[in-house]
Amino acid sequence: MIYSKIAVLGAGTIGMSWAALFAATGRDVVIFDPAPDVEARGAALIEQAAPTLRELGWDHAGDMSRIRFTDDPVEAVTGADFVQESVPERLEVKHDLYAKIEPHLGRGVLIGTSTSGLTLTALQEGMKDAGGLLLAHPFNPPHLIPLVELMDNAQTRKGALAEAQAFYESIGKSCIRLNKEVPGHVANRLQAAVWREAIHLAMEGVASVKDIDTAISHGPGLRWAAMGPTTTFHLGGGAGGIRAFCDHLTGPFESWWADLGAPHLTPEVVEVLAKGLEEATAGQEMQDLVQRRDDLVLTYVKAAMARDSG
């Protein structure tokens, strides 16, 4: 399905990143957000995203003529053939929005919710007919990171998930499907598990915050970007694959799992992390760090695209 008019509900970092991508692909985008500074802030974010989107091959990157802003969600969805919802992560806020827009949605229009942790079942309670509501969680920033986590359930209209996946993949996204509902979905739970142990190591004085981050970014993080943890260990098993790997390393891994920490984000812990980051970033401005991250990710994404196409 080719959608030509997209409604983006919520113009925070995630919503505006989605809007920048949709517009860059040549689609018309109407953005709803009640904030008084949304147009100026949105234009700045779209301009910032434009060079990256051009590098990814989208000819309309930065074209503000394809984007319109409104403080009325009904106006945003009227005539839209796809809706990306990215309003604040509070159930009552999302339910209130759904109640306002549902009577004005076109027949068969899908809503992809960007929720990072709320469950689809809980969100569906805010609609009379939730057949077109899907979990469609991106990773920040959506205009650059390919991942979208998708999920439907028994209330979802037949074929809706496949339709949404085809659309997202047509604009360069890599989609995974969740077969079971869990808070935080898949990717957030995985990164939460790694961060929990990173915090534990820092609080135990095993290494500095900077060195713990380096251990990931210059070590397993590089391998995970290529293949993910389980496939990486499958390669580590040589000709015997994952079975041979587990034969050799079950004992060590289970001993490490038994010793993993379970820290809590107390004020003391947050202070240790903040001071560690002050040392690690050495006075670098936040925007410089964001640009460095995006440049490195863009290099990898372009290389992966070239590999997959050839």
Side-chain angles (χ1 to χ4, degrees), residues 5-232:
K5 182 179 178 183
I6 311 292
V8 171
L9 307 180
T13 302
I14 298 292
M16 283 309 308
S17 182
W18 270 125
L21 172 60
F22 294 145
T25 66
R27 291 167 169 85
D28 293 324
V29 181
V30 182
I31 302 168
F32 155 73
D33 197 290
D37 65 339
V38 63
E39 292 194 36
R41 182 168 45 83
L45 287 170
I46 289 169
E47 181 181 3
Q48 181 182 342
T52 294
L53 287 163
R54 292 191 195 101
E55 286 283 331
L56 292 174
W58 299 115
D59 295 337
H60 299 282
D63 184 356
M64 290 298 297
S65 69
R66 297 183 176 275
I67 296 174
R68 184 164 58 85
F69 294 88
T70 179
D71 60 2
D72 181 1
V74 171
E75 180 184 351
V77 302
T78 300
D81 40 28
F82 191 87
V83 177
Q84 188 72 43
E85 177 268 301
S86 306
V87 300
E89 194 77 347
R90 298 199 299 276
L91 197 58
E92 68 276 11
V93 172
K94 291 181 185 289
H95 281 179
D96 180 65
L97 177 67
Y98 297 165
K100 288 177 180 176
I101 66 172
E102 185 174 6
H104 305 278
L105 293 171
R107 182 179 177 85
V109 169
L110 299 181
I111 304 173
T113 174
S114 300
T115 180
S116 60
L118 298 173
T119 63
L120 179 59
T121 299
L123 292 169
Q124 287 171 326
E125 294 172 357
M127 302 189 73
K128 295 178 180 178
D129 178 4
L133 180 63
L134 297 158
L135 174 69
H137 172 238
F139 244 52
N140 191 31
H143 71 271
L144 173 57
I145 304 293
L147 179 67
V148 178
E149 298 177 309
L150 296 175
M151 184 180 173
D152 63 357
N153 61 19
Q155 293 189 58
T156 311
R157 185 173 70 249
K158 186 178 180 180
L161 187 66
E163 184 180 324
Q165 182 168 343
F167 165 60
Y168 286 121
E169 289 178 346
S170 76
I171 58 172
K173 312 310 282 183
S174 297
C175 299
I176 68 167
R177 293 193 181 190
L178 279 68
N179 301 318
K180 184 177 181 179
E181 199 164 69
V182 290
H185 321 319
V186 173
N188 271 336
R189 291 175 71 98
L190 291 170
Q191 68 174 4
V194 173
W195 193 38
R196 180 172 67 178
E197 185 57 19
I199 293 170
H200 171 68
L201 292 171
M203 295 306 296
E204 290 294 308
V206 174
S208 68
V209 170
K210 177 181 179 181
D211 284 352
I212 292 166
D213 273 5
T214 299
I216 291 293
S217 63
H218 289 241
L222 295 173
R223 300 193 307 191
W224 294 340
M227 292 190 172
T230 304
T231 305
T232 295

Side-chain angles (χ1 to χ4, degrees), residues 40 175 253 281:
C175 299
F253 266 88
T281 57

